[in-house]
Amino acid sequence: MTILAIESSCDDTSAAVLVDGKVMSNTTSSQKIHERYGGVVPEVASRQHHVDIVPVVNHALSLADCQLKTLDAIAYTRGPGLLGSLLVGASFAKALALALNKPLIDVHHMKAHIMAHFIDEPKPNFPFLCLTVSGGHTQIVKVISGTKMEILGQTIDDAAGEAFDKTGKMLGLGYPAGPEIDRRANLGKPVFSFSETKLPGLDFSFSGFKTSVLYFLQKEKLKDPEFINKNLDNLCASIQNAIVHMLVSKIKQAAIQTGITEIAIAGGVAANSGLRTALLNMANQLDWKLYVPEVQYCTDNAGMIAMAAWFKLQEGEFSDLAASPDPRWAMDEA
Ligand code: KG4
Ligand code: ZN
């Protein structure tokens, strides 16, 4: 069985070909245009997807040495994401499915981030816990099967990726700031501390932390206008340390609460080296089996959409042409 998958939920246009559960190609065009605005501009993203989608799909097909006539199903991200961006991928997938007379599979973006773990070895065993941390989401999910998942906790305000990007912006870093904070954190020391919100249960909150960084910087800049420049690496290390601490303490709590010791991380922030190291240390201490995907499968990519679609296909879960993209598609409705 051959699946062509398309991802266009935010600012990456991506296509992948999967054959019998194996990702044969996975190619992404990342939109650089948003850097100058300090964040993704939805209307611009949608127009750029429109420009990129045909070449990206053709590239994925040719890398996999695959022709349109050999496809058995077309998969696409139906949500959550930006409506204008989702519409481009969904319309393209529907048009292709109609023209080729092949079935459609609608994929939930956050479930797909988790299913990225099934692209390479080692694969987690069900049930496992997944900490999914991206620019739009922060969740702890109990993964019961390839299609059945339950959210145990999530952020009540900003996502972890936003906490990186927004505090990075306060430091004068470009968008997205997460990777640059990560790079600089490795050159500095976490000498500054910020207030961390600790909600009861497994939910997260990052807005208080963000405000605490803002007030701290304002206060220090009054004393020394060059404070940020002089302390940039240490500030990055301190911000990363606080965010990682908030994430790791909740996944530890979830593991204790559920008794599950198969732990995975997913989403763009899973690329963070501080988070990876902290989880590896915890896994050693608590005898967890930790699953960390390759960086190319952490950030948005169609390989993960193809893998999630493969599980849906095996369950006979297909979509139809009437299904609309859903920017707020709930995980338990997908
Ligand atoms: O999953 P993703 O590619 O897109 C969605 O949001 O769905 O995640 C993007 C987020 C951005 O906030 C970016 O700053 C963050 O992931 N990110 C990182 C790192 N690489 C990407 N954050 C911290 N450290 C990194 N190395
Ligand atoms: Zn994502």
Side-chain angles (χ1 to χ4, degrees), residues 28 31 33 90 102 125 183 208 214 239 327:
T28 303
Q31 302 178 359
I33 189 161
K102 298 293 177 192
N125 299 297
R183 194 185 67 78
L214 180 69
I239 285 171

Side-chain angles (χ1 to χ4, degrees), residues 103-132:
L104 263 180
I105 303 173
D106 55 351
V107 173
H108 189 278
H109 182 83
M110 299 313 292
K111 283 187 167 179
H113 266 302
I114 294 171
M115 297 319 288
H117 284 282
F118 291 81
I119 297 176
D120 278 336
E121 297 294 339
K123 299 180 171 72
N125 299 297
F126 299 112
F128 64 92
L129 295 181
C130 189
L131 173 67
T132 316

Side-chain angles (χ1 to χ4, degrees), residues 42-240:
E43 178 65 13
V44 174
S46 173
R47 285 165 191 266
Q48 194 61 42
H49 282 305
H50 202 259
V51 172
D52 291 338
I53 195 151
V54 172
V56 166
V57 167
N58 279 335
H59 192 211
L61 289 170
S62 81
L63 283 177
D65 210 4
C66 173
Q67 292 181 331
L68 285 176
K69 62 177 186 231
T70 59
L71 296 178
D72 296 296
I74 319 291
Y76 71 99
T77 307
R78 185 169 161 201
L82 302 170
L83 181 58
S85 292
L86 291 167
L87 265 170
V88 178
S91 308
F92 184 92
K94 286 183 193 180
L96 192 59
L98 190 65
L100 298 174
N101 195 24
K102 298 293 177 192
L104 263 180
I105 303 173
D106 55 351
V107 173
H108 189 278
H109 182 83
M110 299 313 292
K111 283 187 167 179
H113 266 302
I114 294 171
M115 297 319 288
H117 284 282
F118 291 81
I119 297 176
D120 278 336
E121 297 294 339
K123 299 180 171 72
N125 299 297
F126 299 112
F128 64 92
L129 295 181
C130 189
L131 173 67
T132 316
V133 270
S134 72
H137 293 84
T138 299
Q139 300 176 330
I140 294 177
V141 180
K142 181 177 169 188
V143 188
I144 299 151
S145 75
T147 54
K148 248 194 234 91
M149 305 181 189
E150 188 189 327
I151 298 172
L152 301 182
Q154 58 192 326
T155 181
I156 59 161
D157 41 56
D158 288 349
E162 271 179 293
F164 274 106
D165 296 338
K166 290 180 178 172
T167 52
K169 198 171 176 181
M170 295 174 199
L171 300 178
L173 303 179
Y175 176 86
E180 180 65 1
I181 292 184
D182 189 355
R183 194 185 67 78
R184 287 186 174 275
N186 287 315
L187 307 171
K189 289 209 162 34
V191 292
F192 306 112
S193 53
F194 307 108
S195 77
E196 297 176 21
T197 308
K198 210 167 178 304
L199 295 178
L202 296 174
D203 285 339
F204 301 88
S205 166
F206 293 99
S207 75
F209 160 73
K210 205 177 55 183
T211 311
S212 138
V213 174
L214 180 69
Y215 288 168
F216 174 78
L217 293 176
Q218 282 174 346
K219 196 181 78 199
E220 293 300 327
K221 276 196 295 190
L222 279 180
K223 291 188 246 164
D224 175 6
E226 284 306 305
F227 177 77
I228 292 179
N229 285 342
K230 287 180 190 161
N231 295 281
L232 194 50
D233 294 344
N234 285 346
L235 282 165
C236 288
S238 308
I239 285 171
Q240 177 166 303

